[in-house]
């Protein structure tokens, strides 16, 4: 893999990001059913290109992370939330995920956030370890919140100060 770069997503990235998202689908990290055609758009009114960072090398997108607001309330406008995070199978274990988490943390700080939160499935041990190593702590657990592939799975809320 050549030099990794991280940048804001562009509207033209939509097709490639959609393919990456669908290829990475797994009940390990996804609560929505696997997508079937016609595919829903990657960008929509809630998820804009400017709220998504992409990691790329050799002009190929290797992963992305989305930043959003956890609610529409003014009272918690100081908080940002990771609302999507995928690294391609071929790029896992090469530091791409860590680079994206660090970049989105800085982006949230740059946008004036005081806190950054996320939700991760309890059985997604690799993601939880990455988040913990980057300063996130478990702030709550919703036991058996989801039924995925016939098994009940906890929803873990994590966060960190910026």
């Amino acid at each position: 893999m050549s030099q990794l770069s991280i940048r804001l997503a562009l509207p033209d990235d939509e097709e490639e990001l959609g393919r990456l998202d669908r290829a990475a689908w797994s009940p390990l990290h996804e609560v929505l059913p696997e997508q079937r055609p016609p595919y829903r758009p990657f960008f929509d009114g809630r998820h804009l290109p400017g709220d998504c960072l992409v990691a790329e090398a050799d002009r190929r997108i290797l992963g992305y992370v989305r930043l959003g607001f956890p609610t529409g309330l003014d009272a918690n406008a100081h908080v940002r939330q990771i609302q999507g995070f995928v690294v391609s199978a071929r790029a896992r274990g090469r530091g791409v995920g860590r680079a994206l988490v660090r970049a989105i943390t800085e982006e949230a700080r740059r946008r004036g956030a005081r806190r950054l939160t996320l939700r991760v499935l309890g059985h997604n041990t690799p993601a939880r370890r990455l988040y913990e190593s980057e300063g996130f702590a478990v702030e709550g657990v919703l036991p058996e919140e989801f039924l995925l592939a016939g098994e009940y799975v906890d929803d873990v809320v994590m966060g960190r100060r910026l």
Side-chain angles (χ1 to χ4, degrees), residues 22-42:
R22 291 187 298 274
W25 184 92
S26 165
L28 178 65
H29 59 77
E30 185 63 64
V31 297
L32 295 174
E34 188 170 8
Q35 287 191 59
R36 303 274 185 237
Y39 300 120
R40 66 182 175 268
F42 186 83

Side-chain angles (χ1 to χ4, degrees), residues 37 63 65 70 140 146 160:
V65 60
F146 298 106
R160 63 166 287 175

